Amino acid sequence: MTMDFKKLDDDLSLIVEKRIALSKMSYADEAYDDLEEELHDLEDDFNEDYGDELESALEKIYNQLKSDNEVLLPSAYLANEYHPMMPDASGKVTYEVKGNEGVPLESEQFDKMDVRLVIVPNPTRFILRINGKSMKDLWVAR
């Protein structure tokens, strides 16, 4: 079975948009709990639909970086906060991640550095973040 990259992007974008919406709400907001629950359902579906393929991509990344950390569920690599960028020519919005977002990785290649991995949509990719800066895409859904 091949992964439907457009659906992957759409599903991941929806999760990111809901995370952005949730981050702008206060806990006291009546809609907060419903949105949070909806988000958890979307993340569960995301792991179910794309888990095998994404985890196999993550295993390759971890091997490449010589990291002994355990590969987590794809939703674990979601940032808490995404910042939308300007849409491209086709109207697609991609997102920027700032600060210490992502799953920490230990690797001797990056001694004493804060190394993290985060998933970002449009196109769906795993980005290597070092000391709070996005350095490079380690895997892109194509």
Side-chain angles (χ1 to χ4, degrees), residues 59-72:
E59 280 167 21
K60 289 179 186 136
I61 290 171
Y62 278 51
N63 289 338
Q64 186 189 334
L65 298 176
K66 298 179 174 60
S67 173
D68 296 332
N69 291 70
E70 208 172 303
V71 170
L72 307 174

Side-chain angles (χ1 to χ4, degrees), residues 114-126:
D114 180 32
V115 179
R116 293 169 188 258
L117 206 52
V118 70
I119 192 169
V120 178
N122 296 334
T124 297
R125 60 208 185 274
F126 285 108

